[in-house]
Amino acid sequence: MSLGIAIGARVRKSPYFDKTIEDGVTSFSVYNHMYMPTGYGDPLAEYDRLINGVAMWDVAVERQVSLKGPDAEKLARYLTTRDLGALNIGQGRYVPLCDHRGTLINDPVLLPIAEDEYWLSIADSDVLLFSRAIAAERGFDVSIHEPDVSPLAIQGPKAVEVVSDLFGDWVRDLKYFGHREARLQGIPLHVARSGWSKQGGYELYLMDGQRGGELWDIVKEAGQPYGIGPGTPNYIERLESGLVSYGADTDDFTNPYEVGLGKFVSLGREDDFIGKEALKKIHADGIKRQFVGYKIEGEALAAGNQHKWPVKNGESHIGFVSASAWSPRVQSNIGVGLVETAFSEPGSKVTIQTDTEGGDLSATVSKLPFDIPA
Ligand code: THG
């Protein structure tokens, strides 16, 4: 089967778009109304670079929602479920956002940029619209817009070498989610220690979309001694690591407790935040589903199930598998998804109704992240 995605003027392009084409991108998804590279035609090489070397990813789709003005901090705190405590410029936090029903609507990284400016580095949903409406309804004095900022991720165990060659040894001292303004041959950007993998790395938040091609070339050149190559947020590694993919793993009823983000919900906060009342009730009632791993029997699966595969106990539908692949490190097919809590204990046996030639496959529920044999 060979399916295409239409490339046109309606969907937004990353500043690195032309460079990703030059470097052989073979597939895109759409995320925050932009094309996002999802592969360069050699998934195992891309996986190997991330696990053992270094890869560069066009993640310009991680758009920033800038909250700016006297009430920016107040709005940031009101939008997030987390108790942010003291917030210092140059730090960052992973901050789930919920709606008034306690449903997860995004899982951004919050970056305090200035006393009166906060960026939400967002996953795939319209936080700009939501936060503008909330700010207006609350009468907050804040302006909200999407700045010209486009992250380029450098991920993998050798990322630190590439980034310190480019910027200096200070990048080694950045804490996780820490960020600092810098320039690279005059290109304005923020260097952050972050990225959607557990292999370590950095993100360069390009602040001039006209200079994406230049930045791409500089990073590619600096990475040559370390064997850098193109990659994308990695389908297999994120399953192994148990990172939640908002939209893939969640639906319109998913709360943060179900997907392991309960530790970022601070019901004890004295101030109000969106979803607080609903989340109190959800917490008191207990969750009905939980995000788990699956070890799946059968032939090696190609990465990426097109549909959410139903998970069954006999004939009853008890959950789904939102993503699956063969894991070279676990040496098994693995998947993730939500399952009813009665079946969420590691070791539970379930049946997965795949849409592959293998048909129904037996699977065992596993904890997340998966154990990686030494
Ligand atoms: N980069 C940037 N913005 C983003 C993403 C990104 N915005 C949203 C999207 N990814 C998904 N959200 C994330 C972002 C970071 C992490 C997980 C999901 C993450 N988690 C660590 C972990 O789970 O180990 C640390 C969490 C913690 O303890 O605070 O890094 O990729 N710019």
Side-chain angles (χ1 to χ4, degrees):
M1 179 177 51
S2 164
L3 285 176
I5 185 169
I7 303 293
R10 186 179 56 79
V11 177
R12 302 187 296 172
K13 309 292 181 312
S14 154
Y16 316 113
F17 183 82
D18 292 339
K19 287 292 175 184
T20 63
I21 304 259
E22 250 178 69
D23 281 356
V25 66
T26 53
S27 58
F28 288 102
S29 184
V30 173
Y31 188 109
N32 281 327
H33 315 285
M34 284 176 82
Y35 293 110
M36 171 176 76
T38 57
Y40 288 80
D42 193 347
L44 286 181
E46 292 162 38
Y47 172 84
D48 184 63
R49 279 202 282 272
L50 172 61
I51 304 298
N52 298 308
V54 55
M56 54 194 289
W57 304 351
D58 171 1
V59 287
V61 297
E62 311 297 351
R63 302 315 287 169
Q64 309 308 300
V65 174
S66 160
L67 318 175
K68 194 169 180 352
D71 290 337
E73 179 178 345
K74 207 157 95 184
L75 177 60
R77 290 182 190 274
Y78 185 60
L79 287 171
T80 63
T81 58
R82 202 168 165 180
D83 185 350
L84 298 172
L87 264 182
N88 299 315
I89 295 167
Q91 292 178 343
R93 299 279 171 74
Y94 186 34
V95 293
L97 310 186
C98 287
D99 65 13
H100 297 81
R101 300 179 303 146
T103 302
L104 187 72
I105 59 158
N106 206 288
D107 66 330
V109 179
L110 177 72
L111 298 93
I113 295 296
E115 283 303 318
D116 66 344
E117 183 169 12
Y118 293 79
W119 289 354
L120 286 166
S121 181
I122 63 169
D124 183 23
S125 73
D126 293 313
V127 173
L128 183 81
L129 300 179
F130 183 81
S131 48
R132 260 190 199 146
I134 298 291
E137 291 286 322
R138 287 261 136 187
F140 288 164
D141 184 0
V142 59
S143 78
I144 301 173
H145 72 288
E146 184 187 282
D148 176 7
V149 175
S150 300
L152 171 62
I154 306 172
Q155 299 287 299
K158 296 180 183 166
V160 60
E161 306 304 332
V162 178
V163 179
S164 60
D165 284 358
L166 282 168
F167 293 94
D169 272 336
W170 62 267
V171 303
R172 295 177 187 271
D173 300 326
L174 274 180
K175 296 216 171 65
Y176 201 70
F177 289 137
H179 55 96
R180 190 168 127 184
E181 208 166 338
R183 275 180 186 266
L184 201 53
Q185 300 180 22
I187 303 173
L189 45 77
H190 276 253
V191 182
R193 194 157 210 166
S194 53
W196 200 61
S197 85
K198 295 239 178 160
Q199 306 313 308
Y202 293 81
E203 291 178 310
L204 308 183
Y205 285 64
L206 169 67
M207 297 207 288
D208 178 354
Q210 297 301 311
R211 305 188 72 175
E214 269 176 83
L215 180 61
W216 188 270
D217 286 342
I218 292 168
V219 171
K220 190 171 165 180
E221 174 77 25
Q224 286 315 306
Y226 308 99
I228 203 168
T232 67
N234 193 273
Y235 198 95
I236 306 169
E237 192 272 347
R238 85 93 177 176
L239 295 179
E240 295 169 344
S241 299
L243 289 169
V244 174
S245 177
Y246 174 80
D249 303 328
T250 61
D251 57 24
D252 195 29
F253 301 95
T254 310
N255 66 62
Y257 297 108
E258 292 175 330
V259 290
L261 301 181
K263 56 182 179 285
F264 302 128
V265 179
S266 309
L267 296 179
R269 270 172 65 177
E270 281 180 14
D271 56 340
D272 197 16
F273 61 89
I274 298 173
K276 189 177 188 181
E277 286 312 309
L279 287 161
K280 275 186 180 164
K281 181 163 184 348
I282 290 166
H283 186 255
D285 291 350
I287 54 171
K288 313 274 182 294
R289 309 184 293 179
Q290 204 177 340
F291 187 59
V292 296
Y294 300 98
K295 280 193 188 175
I296 308 169
E297 290 173 16
E299 304 278 298
L301 293 167
N305 37 308
Q306 292 188 3
H307 304 281
K308 291 187 183 187
W309 289 341
V311 175
K312 296 185 304 187
N313 171 48
E315 286 312 301
S316 47
H317 185 179
I318 55 167
F320 57 79
V321 177
S322 42
S324 61
W326 170 259
S327 161
R329 289 190 298 165
V330 182
Q331 281 290 304
S332 169
N333 291 317
I334 61 172
V336 297
L338 288 164
V339 73
E340 288 178 11
T341 46
F343 300 91
S344 64
E345 280 300 312
S348 292
K349 303 286 181 195
V350 299
T351 302
I352 295 173
Q353 193 182 323
T354 77
D355 52 17
T356 69
E357 292 199 343
D360 284 9
L361 297 175
S362 301
T364 308
V365 171
S366 162
K367 69 168 187 64
L368 290 175
F370 285 91
D371 285 327
I372 307 291

